[in-house]
Amino acid sequence: MPGPGLELIGEEEIAEVVGVLRSGFLSRYGPNDDPAFGARVRHFEQEVARLTGVAHALAVNSGSSGIWLALAGLGIGPRDEVVVPGFTFVASISAIVYAGALPVLAEVDETFNLDPVDVEARITPRTRAIMAVHMLGNPARLTELRAVADRHGVALIEDCAQAFGARYRGGGVGRIGEVGIFSFNEFKTITCGDGGMIVTDDEDLYRRCFAMHDQGHSPFRLGIEVGRRPFLGMNFRMTELEGAVLMAQLGKLDAIRAHLQANKRIVESVLTGLPGLAFRVLPDPDGDLATHLVTIFPSGEIARRVAGELGAIVLADSGWHVYNHMEHLLERRTITGKGCPFDWPCQGTSDARYEAGMLPRTDALLERSISFGIGVSDPNLAPFGLRMRDGPDVARERATRFREVARRHLEG
Ligand SMILES: Cc1ncc(COP(=O)(O)O)c(C=O)c1O
């Protein structure tokens, strides 16, 4: 089972879903004066806004659509550029492409998230936003990235798909940028199969995202309606069935985080002190969601030997998360092959370059790194590690195995 929330699906989720089915109200819209209508999606939005520390949260049907809607809400489109890390899930990049804007790939540093210095070097007059992706459960250098964004008058977008429940300097991730996005697919902290959330403090941005996600309507379809809709929208709504599962999952968030953090402490204590082995740099260790412990070896050869023996992978081999393996991006393939951002008449963007090896520092780092999964079992990121239900004994035993294999290859 992939993510921690999925492993904990139980009677609470079943009761919530049955409750929705019995109520007969499956859409997020229902009669607020009927006690049978539970307004689960609305309640879930309110809870996520409170946990994040922002004014608005908008539930959508996936993290990918959340990113695309956020870009739309910010008015980002053709001839604009968005800086995004080369180590991320492809959706961060494809959402930019389908907004019509150009993704500009940037290096990650030993946080495994955007390197603020490299980001600043890639800003041009066309840059409209920086997309910080909090990979593997830990926040990027948000203070520095916020400063870069402010210096250049561009937006900061937080892709928090892999970090629901992580914190940064005392508050939830997703509140430092103009907008943040979460995912609730099966690999994420909590899940309803597929779902997403947009969080923001900006009322206007929220209203634009809401309208785009629901056929141009204003929030909750109240107020401005036929005759006064600001623009055409689409349908990216979350259903009450999904909201119901997520409300039950949310009740388990604190337990998930505490369990992951306890297991990670055990694994870290077993691996600490191994000569030559380093760990990922965490800009805010207290905010760590602890879904992964990323280890860094002195060379790619050693890391590959260790991974091979453990049945793990070096992060450079992650087929879904490294730009080098995104053949559809490298070959600029879109559904029509026409228009912005890759088509030559889309002025000024024809020189966009996507090539394997174009981010040498990212490549070198990922080549020497292995993630020990703490609560996410993903063949593309961390096939070796723990599952959510594993207790301290299993954590110690697996960490000891990792240490023994790593020690042998580091010494020899
Ligand atoms: C970093 C990142 N961004 C965006 C997404 C897209 O989320 P979803 O699968 O909900 O569309 C994911 C999902 O794996 C992700 O890991």
Side-chain angles (χ1 to χ4, degrees):
M1 288 211 196
L6 189 66
E7 280 202 60
L8 299 187
I9 295 273
E11 292 309 318
E12 301 79 5
E13 287 79 1
I14 292 168
E16 280 280 344
V17 169
V18 170
V20 170
L21 289 173
R22 287 199 200 288
S23 77
F25 298 113
L26 305 191
S27 151
R28 69 162 298 155
Y29 298 116
N32 289 319
D33 54 357
D34 185 339
F37 174 53
R40 265 86 168 178
V41 173
R42 185 67 198 123
H43 288 147
F44 184 60
E45 288 173 338
Q46 287 164 341
E47 281 303 295
V48 172
R50 189 182 59 77
L51 287 172
T52 308
V54 295
H56 307 284
L58 172 63
V60 291
N61 62 352
S62 75
S64 307
S65 39
I67 302 172
W68 185 80
L69 286 162
L71 291 161
L74 287 164
I76 292 174
R79 299 182 183 81
D80 294 335
E81 294 178 359
V82 178
V83 184
V84 61
F87 178 49
T88 183
F89 182 61
V90 66
S92 323
I93 298 171
S94 42
I96 299 169
V97 170
Y98 283 114
L102 194 72
V104 173
L105 303 189
E107 301 269 17
V108 299
D109 61 19
E110 295 207 347
T111 63
F112 290 75
N113 290 321
L114 273 181
D115 171 357
V117 175
D118 191 63
V119 168
E120 190 150 28
R122 291 175 196 268
I123 297 222
T124 75
R126 281 194 221 102
T127 308
R128 291 285 314 281
I130 297 165
M131 190 185 297
V133 185
H134 306 315
M135 285 297 282
L136 311 172
N138 207 267
R141 296 185 194 275
L142 281 171
T143 305
E144 293 86 340
L145 291 167
R146 180 73 269 173
V148 175
D150 290 345
R151 258 198 303 283
H152 295 274
V154 304
L156 179 63
I157 300 170
E158 291 182 60
D159 176 347
C160 316
Q162 298 191 7
F164 183 72
R167 296 175 70 76
Y168 183 78
R169 306 217 170 147
V173 289
R175 78 190 194 290
I176 306 276
E178 275 76 1
V179 62
I181 298 99
F182 297 106
S183 162
F184 305 113
N185 79 25
E186 287 193 326
F187 290 92
K188 303 306 189 265
T189 321
I190 64 170
T191 185
C192 60
D194 266 313
M197 186 72 82
I198 301 169
V199 290
T200 182
D201 257 334
D202 181 332
E203 163 92 26
D204 188 50
L205 177 57
Y206 167 67
R207 296 182 78 84
R208 285 173 59 86
C209 290
F210 196 103
M212 193 66 209
H213 113 292
D214 187 19
Q215 315 293 2
H217 292 292
S218 48
F220 319 119
R221 296 187 176 174
L222 301 172
I224 307 170
E225 290 303 335
V226 176
R228 297 179 59 200
R229 285 163 290 193
F231 46 76
L232 294 165
M234 301 268 279
N235 175 3
F236 296 98
R237 296 187 301 266
M238 179 181 277
T239 70
E240 281 292 277
L241 289 164
E242 292 159 334
V245 175
L246 288 168
M247 278 306 282
Q249 288 263 289
L250 195 61
K252 302 175 181 181
L253 177 64
D254 288 345
I256 289 174
R257 198 170 31 206
H259 182 82
L260 295 177
Q261 288 171 348
N263 269 354
K264 186 168 175 180
R265 273 195 297 276
I266 293 171
V267 174
E268 208 167 352
S269 71
V270 172
L271 299 188
T272 295
L274 206 52
L277 189 74
F279 297 118
R280 171 190 195 180
V281 172
L282 305 183
D284 181 358
D286 293 340
D288 187 17
L289 175 62
T291 37
H292 292 261
L293 173 67
V294 181
T295 58
I296 310 173
F297 287 82
S299 73
E301 293 75 48
I302 297 176
R304 280 191 182 278
R305 285 203 289 270
V306 173
E309 196 172 329
L310 289 172
I313 59 165
V314 295
L315 287 175
D317 287 352
S318 172
W320 288 27
H321 297 88
V322 183
Y323 74 99
N324 282 327
H325 306 304
M326 298 176 189
E327 73 289 351
H328 32 13
L329 172 69
L330 300 182
E331 292 169 21
R332 305 176 183 208
R333 287 192 219 144
T334 58
I335 184 135
T336 59
K338 291 191 284 196
C340 284
F342 298 139
D343 203 5
W344 70 266
C346 185
Q347 274 183 19
T349 60
S350 56
D351 55 350
R353 196 176 63 91
Y354 304 97
E355 284 165 14
M358 66 185 282
L359 300 175
R361 284 194 289 121
T362 299
D363 295 345
L365 179 66
L366 298 180
E367 189 62 35
R368 320 191 267 127
S369 304
I370 300 173
S371 172
F372 187 122
I374 303 293
V376 175
S377 166
D378 182 345
N380 263 294
L381 281 172
F384 182 89
L386 302 170
R387 308 270 286 266
M388 177 62 203
R389 288 194 182 276
D390 289 332
D393 291 346
V394 181
R396 223 165 277 116
E397 179 211 307
R398 299 240 92 194
T400 305
R401 165 96 179 116
F402 190 104
R403 182 183 171 98
E404 193 273 315
V405 173
R407 186 190 51 75
R408 208 162 2 90
H409 289 289
L410 282 163
E411 282 175 357

